[in-house]
Amino acid sequence: MMKPIIVRGAGDLATGTIYRLSKSGYSVIVLESQKPSAIRRQVSFCQAVYEGKMEVEGMICTKAESIEKALEIVEPGKPVLLVDEEAHCLKKYHPEILVDGILAKKNLGTKRKMADLTIALGPGFEAGKDVDYVIETKRGHYLGKIIKQGFAIPNTGVPGIIGGYGKERVIHAPCRGVFHQHHEIGDWVEAGQSIGWIETETGAVEVRTEISGVLRGIIQEGYEVTEHFKTADVDPRKESREYCALISDKARCIAGSVLELVSAFEKGMLKGNHEN
C-alpha cells in the first residue's frame, strides 16, 4: 500500500486535489500555514486550522498536532491537516509523493528530494528541475496540462473571466489593517455596496464591490491584511449561490491531472523523470 501523500497548501484549488486523491483511495496529509488566507473558505480544507476540522462536499479533514498523530489517524477519504508551513515534518517522514498546492506563484521551498515524485500546481516551478512535474492552472485550453519539462504559463495578475467579468469581480483591501466582514459567503451584494471594513489606527475604511453578484468568497474574519491584499470574490451569475459550497470546475480539472500522475507512478509507468 502506498504511503500517505503529502500536499502542501489547502486552499480551494489544492482542496480539489486533496478531495480527488482521497476519493480515489489514497491517504493524504496536508501541510498548512498558521494563518491561511483562503477566500473560498467553504471549499478549503485549510479552514481546519481555525476550526479543528473542515467538511467539504461530505469529506471531513481533521487537524492533527504532530506528524506522528497524523500518520496514526489518516486513511483514504479522511485527510488530515498539520500546521507545518515549512514542512519540517519531512525530517521525520519521507513520502513517496508530494504535491505543492500552495499556489503562491513562486516556489516557497519545495524540492525534488522531498519525495520520490514531486508535483507542483501553477507557475513558479521548473518541471524537471525544481519538481518532477508541473500542472497548468491558468484557465483556457491548457488548463490541467501536465508539464514534464519547463514552466507553467506565468501569472498575469488578471483573474479568469466569469460571467463576463475578470479583475472587477475580485476585491482587494484598500489599506493595511484588520478585516471585518459585513456579509457572509453566499450573500447577494450590489455594485458599490460595502462587504466589510478594515480597522486601522485612524478609523474604519469600507471595502466595496465593483459589481453585483453572489459573494463567492471572503477572507477570514479578523484577518490582518496589507494594502491590495485579496479579500473577496464576487460571482455575477445569479445561479451561482449553490456553487459556493462546491469544488470548482478548475480545481477538479487540476485534480484529475494530479491523479493521473499519481496512478501512473503507483503502477510503475513513470520512469526516469521522477528519479531524483
Side-chain angles (χ1 to χ4, degrees):
M1 181 180 295
M2 183 174 289
K3 295 165 65 177
I5 296 169
I6 293 289
V7 176
R8 299 189 70 188
D12 64 303
L13 292 183
T15 293
T17 289
I18 297 162
Y19 183 92
R20 177 68 65 84
L21 291 173
S22 297
K23 279 287 189 179
S24 299
Y26 298 100
S27 296
V28 181
I29 296 175
V30 186
L31 307 184
E32 251 298 347
S33 64
Q34 291 185 345
K35 294 183 178 180
S37 59
I39 301 298
R40 296 201 64 215
R41 293 181 287 114
Q42 289 187 354
V43 287
S44 296
F45 282 136
C46 66
Q47 283 302 109
V49 172
Y50 299 109
E51 302 173 20
K53 62 181 180 180
M54 180 62 189
E55 181 174 348
V56 176
E57 293 196 17
M59 182 178 291
I60 296 175
C61 178
T62 305
K63 180 181 176 183
E65 298 304 321
S66 67
I67 185 61
E68 291 81 6
K69 184 62 176 179
L71 289 168
E72 178 184 329
I73 65 176
V74 71
E75 60 181 89
K78 296 181 179 180
V80 175
L81 180 144
L82 190 64
V83 176
D84 186 6
E85 186 173 3
E86 304 296 329
H88 293 303
C89 70
L90 299 186
K91 296 176 182 178
K92 300 179 180 180
Y93 173 68
H94 183 79
E96 293 172 88
I97 299 173
L98 180 143
V99 180
D100 188 308
I102 299 173
L103 277 297
K105 311 299 190 298
K106 60 182 178 181
N107 189 344
L108 296 181
T110 292
K111 298 178 176 62
R112 292 181 79 181
K113 67 180 181 180
M114 287 180 166
D116 302 325
L117 173 68
T118 52
I119 305 165
L121 310 185
F125 302 86
E126 182 177 356
K129 183 179 179 181
D130 301 320
V131 293
D132 296 311
Y133 295 92
V134 170
I135 307 298
E136 181 57 65
T137 57
K138 181 176 174 57
R139 285 187 181 275
H141 186 76
Y142 296 106
L143 176 62
K145 179 183 178 182
I146 296 172
I147 302 167
K148 186 175 181 178
Q149 296 289 337
F151 301 86
I153 298 171
N155 179 41
T156 62
V158 179
I161 302 297
I162 293 180
Y165 293 97
K167 63 182 180 64
E168 301 92 344
R169 65 181 178 82
V170 179
I171 304 170
H172 295 89
C175 61
R176 175 187 292 273
V178 177
F179 180 81
H180 300 284
Q181 62 189 75
H182 289 322
H183 289 277
E184 301 288 343
I185 294 173
D187 287 353
W188 179 269
V189 293
E190 297 291 343
Q193 184 174 349
S194 174
I195 56 97
W197 58 282
I198 296 176
E199 177 186 349
T200 72
E201 293 180 353
T202 56
V205 178
E206 298 294 329
V207 181
R208 302 182 185 277
T209 175
E210 288 189 41
I211 64 172
S212 299
V214 174
L215 195 58
R216 185 169 178 251
I218 189 167
I219 202 164
Q220 179 78 15
E221 167 66 27
Y223 198 91
E224 188 170 345
V225 299
T226 54
E227 187 175 2
H228 303 307
F229 199 91
K230 183 178 178 181
T231 57
D233 183 355
V234 174
D235 190 327
R237 298 170 296 182
K238 291 185 178 181
E239 72 277 11
S240 66
R241 181 172 282 110
E242 63 183 274
Y243 302 163
C244 294
L246 297 175
I247 295 169
S248 70
D249 53 345
K250 179 178 179 177
R252 293 185 198 279
C253 177
I254 294 166
S257 297
V258 175
L259 179 59
E260 178 182 328
L261 287 171
V262 170
S263 298
F265 175 83
E266 185 178 28
K267 293 175 174 60
M269 296 172 62
L270 295 185
K271 303 295 184 181
N273 198 51
H274 71 272
E275 295 174 358
N276 298 310

